[in-house]
Amino acid sequence: MYEQKKKLSTHKADTERKLAHIDLEITRRCNLNCVHCSAASKNRGEEMPVQSIEKTLEEAKSLGLEKVGLTGGEPFLNKKKLMRIGNFCKDDLRVPIHIHSNGTKITAQDAEWIKQTNAEITIPFYGDSATIHDSITNRKGSFELTLKGLRNLKSADANICAYVVPMKQNLQSIQSLIEMVYAEGVRRVRVLSLSPTGRAKVQFEQMDLCVKETEKLNANLLDIRDKLKIEISTGFCTSQNFEGLNILRGHEQCFAAENRIHIDTFGNVFPCTASSGRVIFSAGNLQAEENSLFSIWTTSPLLQFFRSFHKYPPKKCSGCARHDTCMSGCRVKMSYKFGDVTIADPVCRGPYN
């Protein structure tokens, strides 16, 4: 087994590291039943109360917090909690927020609140029509409700980014989907990778794009970007498959456990959103009496493994000119595909020097 694993128990507390970004689940409840949902939103448990969340965020502020993402489930299913935490971030912590929502519950009043808090909001479109979109969400009428939410946001002049998760089920509609949201006034689109977690885990191979499909879509995305003069962006993992697109600021490398974490609605801490829901990637639970955000962030063996792996790559990757681009592959996908969180991507294209 990769020697990095052996060093887990010997790490000292990492007390100087800055925690700049937290993605926080407001609720695990959702009104949709998306086939690819990484949150597996039907899971149940005792959700963290607002007071505990505020205490955690105050602690995060002392660790260097710069931005908070509010997600779910569907956060607008608990608007009171969402708005209290959003206002707390803005007014008390002076930290900007972004919101991930499916868009179906966003009223004109909600859109005004989003505008007033200076929040960025991302909402998904999975197809260019109700036929495709609703088949992925498993909720009839969700396409029209998402479109209505988008129009409410546009009317409020909110800061909007649409996103799409490419999969076999919507591959043929993605180009026209981007043209559709462009016609609605959206000028920023994000492409997200399908993650082998949550509901997608059991059928990942049937949903994930093959190499040829990915390459063809990448070419189409570059064409539509140049045609419409629209910004199409990726995060770090997605950028490895979709070369030439804009890489979001703060996503130039894998920063999982480096300067960010994901906290689910039950208080479980994960290195990143892609890893959330996988028990093997849990760094601890904030509702356990013995834990605090500080102790998990500075001493968790799981988080320290990620940091050490990034700093000391496997021998195969040491000195490789592409390592800063791929960082030995996504740990979540390596765990899913090969059953080993420590392995370097066996299908890496190199070069190695």
Side-chain angles (χ1 to χ4, degrees), residues 241-289:
N241 294 322
F242 295 95
E243 298 178 354
L245 297 177
N246 180 56
I247 300 177
L248 291 168
R249 182 180 179 185
H251 292 260
E252 297 85 2
Q253 292 184 336
C254 177
F255 289 112
E258 295 287 350
N259 66 5
R260 68 193 60 203
I261 54 173
H262 179 101
I263 304 175
D264 76 10
T265 192
F266 312 122
N268 297 305
V269 177
F270 298 92
C272 63
T273 297
S275 64
S276 65
R278 296 284 303 278
V279 175
I280 62 169
F281 289 109
S282 176
N285 186 284
L286 291 167
Q287 300 203 84
E289 289 186 7

Side-chain angles (χ1 to χ4, degrees), residues 208-226:
D208 197 28
L209 303 184
C210 69
V211 173
K212 288 186 177 180
E213 289 171 329
T214 300
E215 290 175 345
K216 183 176 181 180
L217 175 58
N218 190 37
N220 290 339
L221 289 173
L222 293 172
D223 286 344
I224 195 69
R225 178 199 65 182
D226 295 341

Side-chain angles (χ1 to χ4, degrees), residues 138-289:
N138 282 310
R139 288 292 183 269
K140 186 176 181 180
S142 61
F143 178 79
E144 292 300 329
L145 288 173
T146 302
L147 197 56
K148 182 178 180 180
L150 172 63
R151 288 168 178 168
N152 285 334
L153 290 166
K154 283 300 300 178
S155 294
D157 194 29
N159 184 6
I160 312 166
C161 178
Y163 74 85
V164 61
V165 181
M167 55 190 102
K168 293 185 186 296
Q169 290 88 332
N170 65 4
L171 178 60
Q172 302 306 320
S173 71
I174 291 177
Q175 188 166 345
S176 54
L177 179 162
I178 293 173
E179 291 174 336
M180 178 197 72
V181 297
Y182 181 86
E184 292 288 338
V186 175
R187 295 297 179 264
R188 292 186 300 122
V189 174
R190 181 176 177 183
V191 181
L192 292 176
S193 289
L194 185 68
S195 179
T197 54
R199 294 194 196 103
K201 186 175 185 293
V202 297
Q203 53 183 338
F204 184 73
E205 300 300 332
Q206 291 74 44
M207 299 168 65
D208 197 28
L209 303 184
C210 69
V211 173
K212 288 186 177 180
E213 289 171 329
T214 300
E215 290 175 345
K216 183 176 181 180
L217 175 58
N218 190 37
N220 290 339
L221 289 173
L222 293 172
D223 286 344
I224 195 69
R225 178 199 65 182
D226 295 341
K227 173 185 174 183
L228 299 180
K229 306 302 180 186
I230 188 173
E231 179 183 317
I232 303 179
S233 300
T234 65
F236 174 71
C237 288
T238 313
S239 69
Q240 297 176 49
N241 294 322
F242 295 95
E243 298 178 354
L245 297 177
N246 180 56
I247 300 177
L248 291 168
R249 182 180 179 185
H251 292 260
E252 297 85 2
Q253 292 184 336
C254 177
F255 289 112
E258 295 287 350
N259 66 5
R260 68 193 60 203
I261 54 173
H262 179 101
I263 304 175
D264 76 10
T265 192
F266 312 122
N268 297 305
V269 177
F270 298 92
C272 63
T273 297
S275 64
S276 65
R278 296 284 303 278
V279 175
I280 62 169
F281 289 109
S282 176
N285 186 284
L286 291 167
Q287 300 203 84
E289 289 186 7

